[in-house]
Amino acid sequence: MFTALQLSQLQQLWWAIISVVGALFIFLTFVQGGQTLLVTEAQNNMERRAIANSLGRKWELTFTTLVLFGGALFAAFPLFYATSFGGAYWLWIAILFTFILQAVSYEFRGKPGNLLGTRTYDRFLFINGSVGLFLIGVAIGTFFTGADFSLNEFNAVTWQHPLRGLEAILDLFNVTLGLFLVFLARMLGAMYLVNNIDFIHPDLLGLNDRLRRSAFKSLLLALPFLLYVLASWAVMTGYAVEQAHGRIVLEEGKYLHNLLAMPANLVLLGFGFVLVLLAVIITRRTQSSRGIWLGGFGSILMALAIFFTAGFNNTAFYPSRFDLQSSLTIANASSSRYTLTVMSYVALAVPIVLAYIAYFWHRMDAKKISAEEIIRGESAREMY
Amino acid sequence: MLEHLDLTMVNWARAQFALTAMYHWLFVPLTLGLSLLLAFFETLYFKTGNAAWKRITKFWMALFAINFAIGVATGIILEFEFGTNWSNYSWMVGDIFGAPLAIEGIFAFFLEATFFSVMFFGWDRLSKGMHLFSTWMVALGSNLSAVWILVANGWMQHPVGMAFNPDRARFEMQDFWAVAGSPVAISKFTHATSSSFQLAAFFVIGVSSWFLLKGRHMEMAKKSIIVAAVLGLLSSGFVAFTGDEAAHTTARVQPMKLAAMENLYTGRAGAGLVALGVPNPEKRPGDNRDAFLFKVEIPFLLSFLANRDPRSFVPGINDLVYGNPDRQLLATGKKIEKGQIAIASLKEYKKARANNDRTRSAAALSNFENYKNFLGYGYLKNPEEAVPPVVLVFYAFRIMVALGTLFPLIFAAFLFFSYKDTIARQKWLLALGIFSIFLAFVASEAGWVVAEVGRQPWAIQDLLPVSVARSNLTAATVQTTFFLFLTLFTVLLIAEVRIMLNQIKQGPEAE
């Protein structure tokens, strides 16, 4: 099936697969958003426990999707893996650090003898949900704004900025994209929690309304950042690949051209945005708890548009500002045709994985998390 | 390739990898074995309907969760550390090495991530059968992840199924099944998982022994001991068998590692195995000192284990470093010379290609093809650099084997006294059971020291030394992250142990 594909087709296919994994990750960052809500919106211990237990059943999916995003980039575009991780060292180390903190926090937060105390683990979750996700947004921003590196004739990377990746925070576009993701995650987190928690308990009654209002507030806060990102795309200079010789050239309005050249992309972006908007308004205006599905789907579409714009239509997806010709494209950064073919067969398992995740997600969430379950349920002792 | 080699940076990067890997390996073997034991316990509950088995399952499950969380935390660093600290490695072999890592994510990690919460919180949401299925899926997911990461590691020990692409200056995969089905990978996987089952069995036995000594939860402790000891004893057979196979494979594909494991400097036919010995710390390759200050040797055993022939020749460190024409062993110095020719012709080829000089590029390429198998050696400074830290590998190997020999005896003793139903009275054995948890960790970590320190100086055996595999970072940068991780992991480890001890003291749920 895949053996008939040319290398260039496989490269396109794999950028699409990476984009799908990345987009699913963006949807699943409702966990990160929820972690910030745990600190800013919860007002009593039961509210905190309800949020922690609701997110605690999903965080590993988000975490694993991030790991797979890394693993898939390693397998399909190893030169990106080598260049960015080895080059933008401190940016990635900072991101990873927040995910280490996250991984222990659910399990440790409520357990006796946990050394640092519940509040510290909740702060860890907040750091992961805010700083961690912000930095991921900054890193994705560099797909458009570029980074300062050069590659030698053996493709070994030399980073040209002393901050080793953290300099990306100095770029307004990257910062804006990061902040947009943080507030998008807070919207999704609020809508997920509204859907997942049974608020019928004196200590939880107020949380429902607070979360709904918080989703709306996050939408208002996210909008200016989104507008800035879109406006920047319309005017910013991008890194194009000259088809004739594969040379990288600067092209004014490159990302606007990409959107216009790939109208489907424009549709993904617009439709996705409308869905997120609708989801939040429905959550705020009605008592419906289905906003997370609408908003989740919308966020996936928007994220797809971001990744597609970065890599398709002869665009360098990891541009070097220092040395244009060192820029990474899906053509020069990819694995061999053989490896991409093998991995394409492996990727056929992804729908099966998604299917069993969806099935058990449905089975587990058919019954909402209640105060009753947390205090007296069959698994009360394991609760977070 | 990298003109300004900074060995201090390489050593800090190695230290950091060792640190994160060894921390990670404190939690992984327990996850591998305990997930399987949970599945056994719950199967017994499913079959008998006896609520005692459910309480047992849930008790060990709670400990499993605490351990699992910190295993995940230390694991994510390892995956990304290949990129951050070993970026040349990631580029040069990413075409092969990335695949098992991605496959691990798709096939194994999602099983664990999905079914972990189902297993913990699905008791009243799913049928008994569905719940049991979930517990088995966690065990399957954990052990599948071990398959793929050990395929990756096996490939580093014995690279197969690939070829060097001079145009891209990297290794590319040619045969996925050769990589996935490599005998080294299979022997790594079977040895690492079966020894992890032993470790988890000791964990269950040790905690249960403590309960018996305290006279608490006797019923649960006795039942747990029987299941764990059976798994432990069965695994011990596997560990011995796969360990023997691993030594045999090592003799074939990594003779230098085997020589270091045995502190064997001068190769010989009919070589004996040093059962007990103190290596001479002053001994260097090529000098006339004795390799041992003291040793007790079992005659012919090393030759037999290595080549299945007691009279066969086992090369020593000096044979491999300085060559042995009688045995057709090429000196490392000669390999370095050939490797340098390979590097020079590759550079020449790249230059000629850039200038569109076809004649010169064809000549350089053909020259490169002749010497490419020695490419990695071209980066070594001197022949002695090809020797790993011998004394460390020698002792680690002995500790692993000695403990591995002791373990089945302990499992058998626990089974014997359980069968006689006098286990609660065997105070000495119960005390040993508790101490065995520590011994199992020592043996497990020692095994990795043999495997990884014994592979030095290579990241990929014979092809890519660690000094070239590294990222272009300063030593201070890597030093900083080393101490960051050391501090963070140590704090988290202390928290984990304290939570565990608290949970153990609480014991299982009341009946």
Side-chain angles (χ1 to χ4, degrees), chain A residues 37 41-44 46-48 50-51 190 193-194 197 199 201-214:
Chain A
L37 297 168
E41 300 302 312
Q43 292 182 351
N44 63 45
M46 183 47 76
E47 291 186 354
R48 279 187 285 274
I51 293 175
L193 292 170
V194 161
I197 297 173
F199 297 98
H201 184 277
D203 282 351
L204 291 177
L205 276 178
L207 184 61
N208 186 2
D209 198 42
R210 226 175 302 132
L211 287 173
R212 288 173 188 274
R213 268 182 281 143
S214 152

Side-chain angles (χ1 to χ4, degrees), chain A residues 320-370:
Chain A
S320 170
R321 292 183 295 210
F322 180 84
D323 168 29
L324 273 189
Q325 301 319 316
S326 288
S327 299
L328 306 190
T329 67
I330 60 174
N332 69 19
S334 92
S335 282
S336 64
R337 185 174 168 207
Y338 180 85
T339 298
L340 290 179
T341 308
V342 169
M343 291 309 296
S344 300
Y345 284 104
V346 169
L348 288 176
V350 170
I352 301 168
V353 173
L354 288 174
Y356 76 69
I357 291 174
Y359 175 75
F360 280 93
W361 183 315
H362 172 72
R363 286 295 300 268
M364 289 294 289
D365 289 10
K367 199 168 114 192
K368 296 184 179 204
I369 289 178
S370 64

Side-chain angles (χ1 to χ4, degrees), chain B residues 130-142:
Chain B
M130 231 10 172
H131 192 277
L132 178 63
F133 172 77
S134 305
T135 307
W136 275 103
M137 285 301 111
V138 172
L140 179 71
S142 313

